Amino acid sequence: MSTNVDLNAIKSYLLGLQESICQQLEKVDSKAAFVEDSWEREEGGGGRSRVMTDGAIFEKGGVNFSHVHGASMPASATAHRPELAGRSFEAMGVSLVMHPTNPHLPTSHANVRFFCAQKEGADPIWWFGGGYDLTPYYGNDEDCRHWHRTAKNACDPFGADIHPRFKKWCDDYFYLKHRSEPRGVGGLFFDDFNELGFDKSFAFMRSVGDSFCDAYVPIVEKRKDTPFGKRERQFQLYRRGRYVEFNLVFDRGTLFGLQSGGRTESILMSLPPLARWEYDYHPEPNSPEAKLYDHYLQPNDWT
């Protein structure tokens, strides 16, 4: 391991981030608490899963820490980085998904992670990755602007090009090709990030992780008491189906976790507790449901 890569500092930060996010989300929910479940991976490593269910606001949510290592890379990692084949690996990160009950509250996802691949006689290959994205059912322009401006503020100290690059990467990544539509309104996504050297790249990852609650909690507090009925709930469950489709078909983290022998319960924690599918559904023209497709699932700068 290269001497300029501080694994202990990364792990300490990630464990602290998990703790901080859980505390802030428990405070805003006010009813439910995260239940912790520690696990070990037979091939090496383990994690600390924290799951919340049936809260005052959150129907289901999880904030997971994992730190795994192994002698060979899973196929999902070498598919776009063939030079990693034959190397051992070490990966750690915090990943979260929160599914509110109220359809006027968006689902949110965030992840920050570090990856290192090693081979005897060669320098380690390492990088940071992560980001966060927002999936509304009934969108709100003010919320979208706040979300994206918070993301931009987290990026700006590290270069003027960072936010435009990683916003576009998020838009491109969280896209359901078989549906020809985005999963939500985006945010940030980055991977293979080491261009600033270890210290500054690590600082950028921390900036993203630390800004998640600043981006999400104010939206929750503003929309948590918005009235809703059966119609809104049914549309939310239908759109949650898109979330399931993306995570099971396209999500790199899901594929990496399953292929590397991770804990299935923790990996699939991201799925909502309830979802539904309806054949050939189309919203009524000019309806609030149609606005999601016509306005919020369209390209927009938001900042």
Side-chain angles (χ1 to χ4, degrees):
M1 177 69 65
S2 174
T3 55
N4 72 331
V5 175
D6 190 342
L7 284 176
N8 290 331
I10 300 169
K11 185 171 184 177
S12 177
Y13 167 73
L14 292 171
L15 287 168
L17 178 68
Q18 182 192 35
E19 184 71 30
S20 172
I21 289 175
C22 287
Q23 289 177 358
Q24 292 180 74
L25 294 177
E26 283 180 346
K27 182 179 179 181
V28 76
D29 186 275
S30 75
K31 175 186 173 184
F34 285 96
V35 177
E36 183 170 301
D37 181 17
S38 297
W39 53 275
E40 292 185 2
R41 176 175 173 271
E42 187 174 335
E43 296 85 351
R48 189 172 76 177
S49 298
R50 291 183 175 176
V51 177
M52 172 189 286
T53 55
D54 299 323
I57 293 173
F58 298 110
E59 189 171 8
K60 179 188 176 187
V63 185
N64 291 346
F65 166 81
S66 64
H67 180 194
V68 301
H69 50 87
S72 61
M73 304 281 289
S76 61
T78 58
H80 72 293
R81 293 286 296 268
E83 72 274 17
L84 300 179
R87 287 176 173 256
S88 62
F89 74 92
E90 190 159 358
M92 65 180 82
V94 167
S95 182
L96 71 91
V97 177
M98 301 303 296
H99 292 290
T101 303
N102 191 324
H104 295 284
L105 281 177
T107 287
S108 67
H109 158 259
N111 171 262
V112 286
R113 58 191 180 271
F114 175 78
F115 194 93
C116 184
Q118 302 180 69
K119 185 177 183 179
E120 191 172 347
D123 289 336
I125 299 173
W126 60 267
W127 66 83
F128 292 96
Y132 46 70
D133 65 287
L134 196 68
T135 306
Y137 308 98
Y138 292 89
N140 181 286
D141 282 21
E142 181 185 354
D143 294 348
C144 291
R145 287 192 292 268
H146 165 77
W147 177 263
H148 284 277
R149 285 171 181 166
T150 305
K152 183 177 184 297
N153 290 340
C155 294
D156 281 352
F158 300 90
D161 67 317
I162 295 288
H163 179 257
R165 282 167 52 199
F166 294 165
K167 180 189 181 299
K168 182 180 187 304
W169 200 346
C170 187
D171 291 340
D172 293 343
Y173 178 73
F174 290 105
Y175 188 83
L176 289 86
K177 301 178 183 67
H178 61 290
R179 298 284 191 180
S180 299
E181 67 183 42
R183 188 171 82 173
V185 297
L188 297 171
F189 181 87
F190 65 100
D191 205 2
D192 306 323
F193 186 77
N194 54 21
E195 64 195 59
L196 302 179
F198 176 78
D199 289 342
K200 287 188 177 180
S201 297
F202 182 24
F204 172 69
M205 187 264 272
R206 295 197 305 270
S207 183
V208 172
D210 293 345
S211 68
F212 168 75
C213 284
D214 294 336
Y216 189 49
V217 169
I219 295 173
V220 174
E221 291 176 333
K222 284 182 181 178
R223 311 300 165 198
K224 65 183 180 180
D225 297 320
T226 305
F228 68 93
K230 182 178 179 181
R231 169 177 174 158
E232 290 84 3
R233 177 66 168 167
Q234 288 297 300
F235 183 64
Q236 176 200 45
L237 298 184
Y238 173 73
R239 289 298 308 175
R240 280 182 176 177
R242 296 292 204 270
Y243 210 90
V244 173
E245 290 176 21
F246 181 88
N247 279 25
L248 295 182
V249 176
F250 297 112
D251 188 74
R252 285 189 198 172
T254 301
L255 296 175
F256 176 85
L258 295 174
Q259 292 176 3
S260 63
R263 183 171 183 261
T264 301
E265 284 298 309
S266 297
I267 296 162
L268 299 183
M269 170 277 300
S270 63
L271 300 182
L274 296 171
R276 72 182 188 93
W277 283 262
E278 181 176 332
Y279 180 74
D280 200 28
Y281 167 81
H282 295 282
E284 296 177 16
N286 302 314
S287 66
E289 293 77 20
K291 188 174 181 180
L292 177 73
Y293 297 87
D294 299 339
H295 180 58
Y296 293 102
L297 299 184
Q298 299 296 326
N300 198 319
D301 177 62
W302 292 118
T303 56

